[in-house]
Amino acid sequence: QRQMCIRDRLGLMANPATISPEERVIESFFDRLKAFPLAKSRVIAIEFQSKDPELAAKLSDAIAEEYLRELERAKKDSAKSAGSWLGRSIETLRERVSAAEARVEAFRTQNGLFLTGGAESSNISSQQLSELNTQLAAARAQQSEMTSKARMIREAVRQGKIFEVSDVVNNEVVRRLIETRATLKAQIAQEERTLLPQHPRMKELYAQLGGLEEQIRNAAERAARALENDARGAAARVAASQAELDVQKRQSGTANEQEVQLRALEREAKAEREQLETYLARYRDASVRDMDNAVVADARIVSRATVPSNPSFPKRMPIIIIATLAGFVTSLFWVLT
């Protein structure tokens, strides 16, 4: 067929004896076949010329059907080729995804960037930093509270208002001393009705009252010293927590840099995973299209060929008119000559 096209372009006639019967049939077949697009449409018209009108209609339909089958075979071959390529690519991608996820886990384990569950996941370093901040705030609050209480007790002792301080009054020892003092004052009031202040009995009672008040002041002092000791302990805890917090901040800064690297590795693994899922979806689609009767050609037969009632050639009336005109011109030329 290629040789015949070359000969036609060069205007050469091949020796009929050298042409095989198959080639002569094919040449005659293509000479009688016409396929052309209709104007302003995507429809392709097929015409075939034959002495037998039914044969011409059948061949036109057969050519259209074979064209559709060829389109289906082309799509099926394309799907098969795409499926084969996707299958090889998927295996490579699976290895790359496994390697990327392994790198993420290895980096996470190596740098201790384990995630803790909860409403909002955070790494262990950040969680420890938050806990240390909470502990430091609690220690500072405790230190401030104890220092304030100790200062208030000492001020109350200085001003003689011990009994107005709840932390002193609520002390069990002080409470018993206060009860004893109240009983002693009641006894003094009763004795003052009959005895003068210089009476030995009165002096004894006043001495006992002074001793009780001294014991109460001493108890208040001890409470103040205990609170001050607790405040110093809280201050030590504040210092220790602050030092640990500083260390943890430096570690957290390093962990943040490592988290940036980890997120980059995670993004890479996620991209590989998404690409693998995309390829898997395309591979499933290609596998479905590779099945029998699953591929439909991107064309359809709009209308079947009809058997013509009148021959397309020769046209009798145009031939008669042309022959008459030719004869008239020839006669006129002969007369003039």
Side-chain angles (χ1 to χ4, degrees):
Q1 192 174 4
R2 185 178 300 172
Q3 293 174 355
M4 287 190 292
C5 293
I6 294 173
R7 287 196 298 268
D8 292 340
R9 290 179 182 178
L10 296 176
L12 300 178
M13 177 75 66
N15 186 3
T18 61
I19 300 177
S20 64
E22 292 81 1
E23 291 180 353
R24 287 198 297 272
V25 170
I26 292 173
E27 185 175 0
S28 176
F29 177 83
F30 281 106
D31 288 340
R32 296 172 181 270
L33 175 64
K34 291 182 180 180
F36 54 91
L38 298 181
K40 297 181 180 181
S41 69
R42 301 177 63 183
V43 179
I44 298 175
I46 298 175
E47 290 184 359
F48 190 82
Q49 297 179 0
S50 176
K51 294 181 180 179
D52 188 352
E54 293 184 359
L55 178 61
K58 289 181 179 179
L59 284 176
S60 298
D61 291 338
I63 292 169
E65 292 172 356
E66 182 60 28
Y67 175 70
L68 295 181
R69 285 192 292 269
E70 186 64 26
L71 289 179
E72 292 178 359
R73 283 194 295 270
K75 289 186 67 176
K76 196 169 182 179
D77 292 340
S78 176
K80 186 180 295 184
S81 176
S84 177
W85 180 83
L86 285 171
R88 294 191 300 270
S89 301
I90 284 171
E91 293 300 325
T92 305
L93 269 177
R94 279 178 175 158
E95 295 177 358
R96 288 165 55 184
V97 168
S98 300
E101 292 177 349
R103 286 195 298 271
V104 170
E105 294 303 323
F107 187 84
R108 191 193 302 276
T109 304
Q110 181 180 359
N111 296 281
L113 299 176
F114 299 102
L115 295 180
T116 57
E120 294 182 358
S121 296
S122 60
N123 60 54
I124 293 178
S125 179
S126 299
Q127 185 182 11
Q128 290 176 349
L129 189 62
S130 176
E131 292 176 355
L132 286 174
N133 276 322
T134 304
Q135 293 174 5
L136 180 60
R140 284 176 175 171
Q142 187 178 12
Q143 178 189 5
S144 177
E145 180 184 3
M146 291 179 178
T147 303
S148 299
K149 286 182 178 180
R151 187 181 300 111
M152 184 174 58
I153 291 173
R154 290 192 179 279
E155 185 67 20
V157 171
R158 188 178 63 82
Q159 295 179 1
K161 298 179 180 180
I162 300 175
F163 305 108
E164 297 179 3
V165 180
S166 61
D167 290 327
V168 176
V169 175
N170 293 332
N171 188 287
E172 186 66 26
V173 176
V174 175
R175 187 183 297 111
R176 289 198 298 269
L177 291 174
I178 291 174
E179 292 174 357
T180 305
R181 177 177 175 274
T183 303
L184 186 60
K185 290 190 72 172
Q187 187 176 358
I188 290 174
Q190 185 178 2
E191 293 293 340
E192 282 180 345
R193 295 177 183 176
T194 57
L195 299 175
L196 294 174
Q198 300 300 324
H199 192 277
R201 176 61 179 166
M202 294 299 296
K203 290 182 178 180
E204 181 184 358
L205 292 175
Y206 283 135
Q208 291 179 5
L209 180 60
L212 286 174
E213 290 178 350
E214 183 66 23
Q215 291 180 15
I216 292 173
R217 284 193 297 272
N218 293 335
E221 289 287 343
R222 287 194 298 272
R225 286 195 298 272
L227 288 172
E228 289 172 350
N229 292 332
D230 291 340
R232 284 192 289 272
R237 288 195 296 274
V238 168
S241 298
Q242 185 65 51
E244 189 175 357
L245 182 63
D246 294 338
V247 174
Q248 192 62 37
K249 283 182 179 178
R250 290 192 293 270
Q251 293 178 354
S252 180
T254 304
N256 290 336
E257 296 177 358
Q258 294 170 349
E259 280 185 2
V260 172
Q261 300 177 15
L262 177 62
R263 284 195 292 270
L265 292 174
E266 287 177 343
R267 285 194 298 269
E268 181 181 355
K270 183 180 179 181
E272 296 286 354
R273 171 64 64 180
E274 290 177 351
Q275 186 177 5
L276 175 60
E277 292 175 354
T278 302
Y279 276 28
L280 285 173
R282 292 180 179 177
Y283 180 75
R284 287 191 292 267
D285 183 55
S287 299
V288 170
R289 287 189 283 113
D290 191 25
M291 298 171 59
D292 293 336
N293 301 325
V295 178
V296 180
D298 294 331
R300 62 186 180 90
I301 297 177
V302 178
S303 63
R304 296 282 179 176
T306 57
V307 179
S309 57
N310 297 320
S312 59
F313 187 83
K315 300 292 185 180
R316 292 182 181 180
M317 187 58 66
I319 290 176
I320 291 174
I321 294 173
I322 292 173
T324 302
L325 289 175
F328 175 74
V329 171
T330 302
S331 301
L332 182 60
F333 178 77
W334 181 77
V335 170
L336 292 175
T337 302

